[in-house]
Amino acid sequence: MILELHRQGLKVSAIARQLGIDRKTVRRYIDRGLEPPTYGPRPHQSKSTDPFLPYLRERLAAFPGLTAVRLWRELRDRGYAGGYTAVKRAVRGIRPDPVTPFEVRFETPPGEQAQVDLARFEVAFTDEPGITRIVWLFSWCSVSRG
């Protein structure tokens, strides 16, 4: 539409006004012509932590609980001049996933297991209006089958 209006002889400002877009956008499309915009992956930019990644991987493999602050201090001692945030991002990308423990189910014979719940409630009683009391509820249930 922009190119067609331009071919008809309309000025950039008139095209922008008619289409409700910015003049810079109109100029950009006129300069580009019919070529669609080109998008693609950005080229990889080296980061200040790249030379230290092998060291970070080695340390996190041996001690997965190390904090980024601790690793940043260690890297400074090894000649790293960058900031903490860059180290934090690098550590986030290479830290191994935590091992999630699994639950072991166990079954008991009927009558040998019980379940309990404890809950806290704030209650306003009708005989004392405007006063809120804390009430604890203890619920016990014996699980037996048979």
Side-chain angles (χ1 to χ4, degrees), residues 48-49 68 71-73 75-76 80-90:
S48 61
T49 54
L71 292 167
W72 174 57
R73 289 181 186 148
L75 290 183
R76 279 193 315 185
Y80 176 70
Y84 163 70
T85 306
V87 174
K88 185 169 67 170
R89 278 191 213 108

Side-chain angles (χ1 to χ4, degrees), residues 1-106:
M1 184 86 144
I2 293 172
L3 294 175
E4 182 60 35
L5 292 172
H6 183 66
R7 278 190 216 104
Q8 292 175 10
L10 266 69
K11 303 264 185 209
V12 171
S13 295
I15 296 171
R17 224 180 355 264
Q18 185 174 347
L19 298 178
I21 57 177
D22 193 82
R23 291 186 318 255
K24 290 178 276 187
T25 305
V26 173
R27 279 193 202 99
R28 187 173 58 236
Y29 278 95
I30 290 171
D31 291 343
R32 188 183 310 144
L34 290 176
E35 296 177 27
T38 55
Y39 302 109
R42 293 182 179 175
H44 176 72
Q45 294 180 350
S46 63
K47 298 178 177 88
S48 61
T49 54
D50 283 351
F52 300 94
L53 285 179
Y55 176 77
L56 289 173
R57 282 190 185 98
E58 175 187 324
R59 293 290 288 152
L60 286 172
F63 303 100
L66 287 177
T67 64
V69 173
R70 166 93 183 257
L71 292 167
W72 174 57
R73 289 181 186 148
E74 291 179 13
L75 290 183
R76 279 193 315 185
D77 294 341
R78 299 174 75 83
Y80 176 70
Y84 163 70
T85 306
V87 174
K88 185 169 67 170
R89 278 191 213 108
V91 167
R92 186 183 309 135
I94 62 175
R95 185 181 297 278
D97 292 333
V99 179
T100 55
F102 59 92
E103 279 189 34
V104 178
R105 282 186 59 101
F106 64 94

